[in-house]
């Protein structure tokens, strides 16, 4: 158990963004929340889809070169209905589309640490209390 009385868990988290600085920033931000996250970085939707790894959470940029975030999420949902997809974008134009792939959250860039912490807290609580996954 950790300090908050929650069990220690390893969450596999994918970060998919075509901008290396944003991937690195998100990784640092996530590590500041918990050292129990296993982080994996992908520079494109295509690269993410080639991974055979199963993730608990995917942070997915909406606008990327090649396969955009929405098309990537559509393909992910064909094989994984349970993964938490959190879209990251600087544009509000796509928020309606995010619902079509059952996105968990839609966070805007620049990402606020408080929004990230709240998102991860809710995901962790759901995985423990609702899904009993971890």
């Amino acid at each position: 158990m950790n300090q908050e009385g929650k069990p220690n868990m390893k969450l596999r988290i994918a970060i998919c963004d075509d901008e290396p600085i944003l991937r690195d920033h998100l990784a640092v931000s996530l590590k500041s929340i918990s050292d129990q996250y296993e982080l994996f970085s992908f520079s494109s939707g295509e690269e993410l889809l080639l991974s055979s790894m199963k993730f608990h959470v995917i942070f997915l940029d909406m606008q990327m070169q090649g396969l955009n975030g929405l098309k990537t999420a559509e393909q992910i949902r064909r094989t994984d209905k349970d993964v938490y997809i959190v879209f990251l974008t600087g544009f509000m134009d796509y928020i309606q589309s995010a619902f079509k792939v059952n996105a968990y959250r839609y966070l805007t860039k620049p990402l606020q640490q408080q929004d990230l912490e709240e998102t991860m807290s809710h995901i962790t609580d759901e995985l423990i209390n609702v899904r009993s996954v971890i």
Side-chain angles (χ1 to χ4, degrees):
M1 294 277 187
N2 64 18
Q3 296 168 343
E4 298 159 358
K6 296 179 181 178
N8 289 327
M9 65 200 80
K10 285 284 191 184
L11 286 183
R12 283 179 309 282
I13 300 173
I15 300 170
C16 185
D17 196 307
D18 58 353
E19 296 183 48
I21 292 171
L22 294 174
R23 285 195 311 270
D24 293 345
H25 174 72
L26 181 53
V28 168
S29 296
L30 285 165
K31 287 177 187 175
S32 76
I33 296 171
S34 175
D35 62 358
Q36 294 298 304
Y37 299 154
E38 288 183 271
L39 305 176
F40 302 87
S41 290
F42 301 92
S43 61
S44 68
E46 292 89 350
E47 185 182 1
L48 173 62
L49 292 171
L50 287 173
S51 170
S52 59
M53 191 169 295
K54 177 123 169 88
F55 298 103
H56 294 100
V57 183
I58 298 173
F59 285 92
L60 189 56
D61 184 23
M62 191 60 90
Q63 283 196 317
M64 295 184 285
Q65 296 295 320
L67 203 58
N68 70 26
L70 187 60
K71 295 292 183 191
T72 302
E74 287 172 354
Q75 290 192 34
I76 290 167
R77 285 291 182 230
R78 290 183 189 142
T79 59
D80 190 342
K81 305 284 187 212
D82 297 323
V83 65
Y84 289 89
I85 296 174
V86 179
F87 281 114
L88 304 171
T89 187
F91 305 93
M92 295 303 292
D93 303 353
Y94 303 106
I95 198 161
Q96 289 296 89
S97 300
F99 290 108
K100 293 178 183 175
V101 292
N102 197 24
Y104 184 72
R105 292 274 167 96
Y106 191 93
L107 301 178
T108 56
K109 295 177 184 178
L111 188 60
Q112 302 298 310
Q113 184 69 19
Q114 180 178 344
D115 293 339
L116 184 61
E117 290 173 6
E118 179 184 292
T119 297
M120 291 310 299
S121 176
H122 287 184
I123 288 172
T124 302
D125 287 347
E126 281 190 29
L127 285 170
I128 293 168
N129 299 321
V130 177
R131 296 187 184 181
S132 300
V133 171
I134 47 180

